[in-house]
């Protein structure tokens, strides 16, 4: 049975009924008009934000939705009680936010102070103390660490070298230096080398907040990397697709063709770039089909059908084609993508 | 009391993943329902209002 949600998170760009339209209808119906709705936007949708407030959204969050933005939105809306009613909130002494900290430190006492402060701040702490390059290497091999907290100078090791070690291993782990007086110049040099924060041993009140901030920033970096990786995967999927893929701008000028298209039609990308599909590789569609096809895709829907493709050699064959519009963040059609497969029986 | 539901209307799977993680990290253990478009969202909501009336 469907349960009325306490909170709805609504993306603006959606297939079929788009976000703003859905919001309008949620607000128009008295049964749903008072639901808490948070709009999710992508940067560059300022106009939509204004419009979504007009339509009665409670709040908006920019994507990607991170922990911080979400927590802020919840706070702003006073929704704590709404969504935290199955509390996972930490109790004193309970294992809370898990944190694996690698502590580069020769003093056991200083280590215990750091451990104490982090535990008091509510971290479920796993830590290891290392004081040489070898130990640090071994620790890095052993497990993934959320943060490195390093002294500036140790008898056999130092913060600089520890940071270099992370870079060598291509590990993007927040690195905080906790040290005695090292002077402004050295502190600046450390920051330039990539240290995320610098704290003095005499004043560690900032330690827990600094750790929290670095963790959330590291998460943002991770999310970004993930998205880039996804983008790379997608572009590979297009490049290596067994179907022909053609991307045109709104006027039908070709902006991209994948290698399969080149292989099938015999046209190179340079030969078709900027040209319009029907005139280049020649679809011979009935005029009425052409009209129906244009109307469908311009209205934002996908069109499926068969087209006669003419190759560069003059030979022709039938392809099953699906053409769908690509919209920008404002929902305006900017490009079309045509995916097609040869359906001529050999 | 049963935890309240959160409805996420999102068609991009990676954004669904990120949102789910943001919620987890905010210690929110609520049940999350994901639908992929506005029509599905409206269908879900209006079906929910009907089942509430019946209770």
């Amino acid at each position: 049975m469907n349960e009325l949600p306490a909170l709805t998170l609504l993306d603006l760009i959606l297939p079929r009924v788009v976000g703003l339209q859905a919001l309008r209808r949620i607000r128009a119906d008295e049964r749903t008009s008072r639901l808490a709705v948070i709009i999710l936007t992508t940067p560059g949708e300022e106009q939509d934000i204004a419009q979504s407030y007009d339509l009665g959204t409670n709040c908006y969050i920019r994507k990607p939705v991170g922990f911080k933005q979400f927590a802020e939105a919840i706070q702003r809306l006073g929704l704590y009680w709404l969504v935290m009613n199955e509390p996972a909130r930490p109790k004193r002494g309970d294992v809370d936010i898990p944190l694996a900290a690698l502590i580069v430190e020769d003093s056991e006492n200083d280590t215990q102070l750091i451990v104490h402060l982090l535990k008091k701040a509510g971290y479920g702490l796993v830590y290891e103390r290392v004081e040489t390059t070898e130990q640090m290497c071994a620790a890095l091999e052993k497990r993934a660490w959320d943060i490195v907290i390093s002294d500036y100078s140790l008898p056999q090791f130092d913060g600089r070298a520890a940071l270099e070690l992370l870079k060598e291993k291509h590990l993007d782990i927040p690195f905080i230096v906790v040290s005695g007086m090292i002077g402004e110049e050295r502190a600046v040099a450390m920051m330039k080398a990539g240290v995320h924060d610098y704290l003095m041993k005499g004043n560690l009140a900032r330690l827990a907040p600094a750790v929290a901030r670095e963790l959330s920033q590291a998460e943002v970096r991770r999310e970004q990397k993930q998205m880039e990786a996804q983008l790379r995967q997608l572009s590979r999927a297009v490049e290596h697709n067994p179907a022909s893929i053609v991307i045109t701008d709104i006027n039908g000028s070709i902006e991209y063709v994948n290698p399969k298209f080149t292989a099938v039609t015999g046209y190179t990308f340079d030969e078709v770039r900027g040209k319009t599909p029907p005139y280049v590789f020649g679809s011979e569609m009935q005029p009425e089909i052409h009209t129906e096809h244009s109307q469908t895709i311009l209205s934002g829907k996908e069109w499926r059908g068969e087209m006669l493709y003419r190759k560069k050699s003059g030979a022709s064959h039938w392809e099953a084609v699906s053409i769908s519009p690509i919209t920008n963040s404002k929902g305006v059609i900017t490009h079309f993508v045509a995916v097609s497969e040869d359906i001529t029986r050999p | 009391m049963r935890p309240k539901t959160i409805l996420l209307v999102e068609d991009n799977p990676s954004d669904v993943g990120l949102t789910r993680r943001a919620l987890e990290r905010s210690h929110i253990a609520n049940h999350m329902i994901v639908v992929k478009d506005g029509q599905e969202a409206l269908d879900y909501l209006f079906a929910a209002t009907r089942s509430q009336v019946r209770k």
Side-chain angles (χ1 to χ4, degrees):
Chain A
M1 178 156 316
N2 287 359
E3 197 186 343
L4 208 55
L7 173 65
T8 300
L9 300 167
L10 184 62
D11 188 16
L12 278 184
I13 303 151
L14 296 162
R16 297 205 286 169
V17 178
V18 297
L20 287 176
Q21 213 177 325
L23 178 62
R24 185 178 293 126
R25 291 187 32 201
I26 289 169
R27 287 299 179 238
D29 193 302
E30 55 163 337
R31 292 166 303 176
T32 54
S33 64
R34 277 196 294 268
L35 291 177
V37 177
I38 295 179
I39 291 285
L40 307 179
T41 73
T42 345
E45 291 177 323
E46 276 68 27
Q47 243 184 316
D48 295 327
I49 291 168
Q51 214 184 336
S52 47
Y53 273 119
D54 288 344
L55 289 172
T57 185
N58 297 92
C59 173
Y60 74 89
I61 299 181
R62 269 183 216 286
K63 291 203 291 186
V65 180
F67 162 66
K68 218 179 123 220
Q69 295 95 304
F70 188 74
E72 278 172 4
I74 292 298
Q75 195 163 17
R76 211 168 335 142
L77 296 185
L79 283 174
Y80 277 116
W81 59 275
L82 263 181
V83 287
M84 307 278 257
N85 53 8
E86 196 180 68
R89 279 206 83 56
K91 282 183 216 120
R92 197 170 265 276
D94 261 13
V95 173
D96 189 35
I97 311 154
L99 177 73
L102 183 59
I103 303 176
V104 185
E105 176 65 75
D106 60 319
S107 153
E108 184 58 39
N109 280 347
D110 289 349
T111 304
Q112 285 314 313
L113 176 63
I114 291 168
V115 167
H116 169 74
L117 288 170
L118 291 176
K119 282 189 174 162
K120 208 175 85 182
Y123 286 106
L125 188 67
V126 176
Y127 77 97
E128 185 171 332
R129 181 173 72 85
V130 296
E131 53 183 314
T132 63
T133 313
E134 294 73 35
Q135 286 174 359
M136 182 159 169
C137 277
L140 289 173
E141 297 289 319
K142 214 184 312 175
R143 62 163 297 158
W145 298 96
D146 298 316
I147 199 153
V148 176
I149 300 171
S150 171
D151 195 358
Y152 182 73
S153 61
L154 296 84
Q156 303 174 51
F157 198 26
D158 64 66
R160 247 345 238 272
L163 184 63
E164 285 308 315
L165 196 57
L166 287 191
K167 283 190 188 163
E168 252 170 52
K169 293 187 180 287
H170 302 287
L171 292 168
D172 180 16
I173 306 175
F175 193 99
I176 296 180
V177 170
V178 172
S179 141
M181 283 293 281
I182 58 169
E184 203 175 325
E185 243 170 74
R186 280 196 206 157
V188 169
M190 290 290 282
M191 299 297 265
K192 276 193 181 151
V195 164
H196 293 99
D197 205 346
Y198 159 68
L199 300 163
M200 286 205 292
K201 276 186 179 168
N203 178 14
L204 284 178
R206 261 183 60 224
L207 178 66
V211 167
R213 191 195 57 234
E214 290 313 324
L215 290 177
S216 83
Q217 281 181 4
E219 202 205 346
V220 170
R221 287 199 296 274
R222 231 179 349 256
E223 281 164 359
Q224 235 154 22
K225 265 189 207 151
Q226 241 172 33
M227 284 173 118
E228 280 162 18
Q230 198 189 16
L231 209 59
R232 272 198 302 275
Q233 281 170 8
L234 287 176
S235 64
R236 278 194 79 81
V238 170
E239 289 281 325
H240 297 276
N241 210 287
S244 296
I245 298 175
V246 179
I247 299 175
T248 73
D249 68 10
I250 181 83
N251 300 316
S253 301
I254 293 175
E255 288 195 358
Y256 173 83
V257 297
N258 73 341
K260 177 68 180 184
F261 172 90
T262 307
V264 167
T265 63
Y267 286 109
T268 64
F269 177 32
D270 284 333
E271 286 171 319
V272 295
R273 190 205 301 262
K275 305 274 173 53
T276 320
Y279 303 106
V280 178
F281 48 96
S283 68
E284 288 185 1
M285 276 196 289
Q286 308 288 333
E288 64 271 19
I289 297 180
H290 198 279
T291 315
E292 176 246 282
H293 145 269
S294 312
Q295 277 170 355
T296 308
I297 57 174
L298 285 171
S299 71
K301 290 187 204 118
E302 182 193 5
W303 181 87
R304 276 172 195 274
E306 290 171 8
M307 283 186 182
L308 192 65
Y309 273 45
R310 194 173 295 139
K311 302 179 192 187
K312 193 180 179 184
S313 66
S316 54
H317 69 282
W318 286 95
E319 295 232 340
V321 189
S322 145
I323 302 179
S324 30
I326 301 174
T327 54
N328 67 7
S329 60
K330 297 198 186 342
V332 178
I333 298 172
T334 58
H335 292 83
F336 295 107
V337 55
V339 180
S340 62
E341 268 175 312
D342 189 347
I343 48 164
T344 312
R345 297 266 171 266
Chain B
M1 197 177 127
R2 279 187 55 201
K4 296 237 167 63
T5 305
I6 294 176
L7 177 65
L8 174 63
V9 192
E10 173 67 78
D11 59 330
N12 180 338
S14 73
D15 280 339
V16 171
L18 291 177
T19 308
R20 219 183 259 287
R21 206 161 61 200
L23 261 62
E24 273 166 22
R25 295 204 45 191
S26 311
H27 297 293
I28 286 163
N30 295 59
H31 180 48
M32 190 164 96
I33 289 163
V34 182
V35 295
K36 290 197 188 61
D37 65 48
Q39 188 57 50
E40 264 186 76
L42 293 169
D43 292 346
Y44 177 90
L45 287 173
F46 291 128
T49 57
R50 272 196 295 283
S51 65
Q52 268 206 337
V53 173
R54 248 186 276 134
K55 262 184 224 167

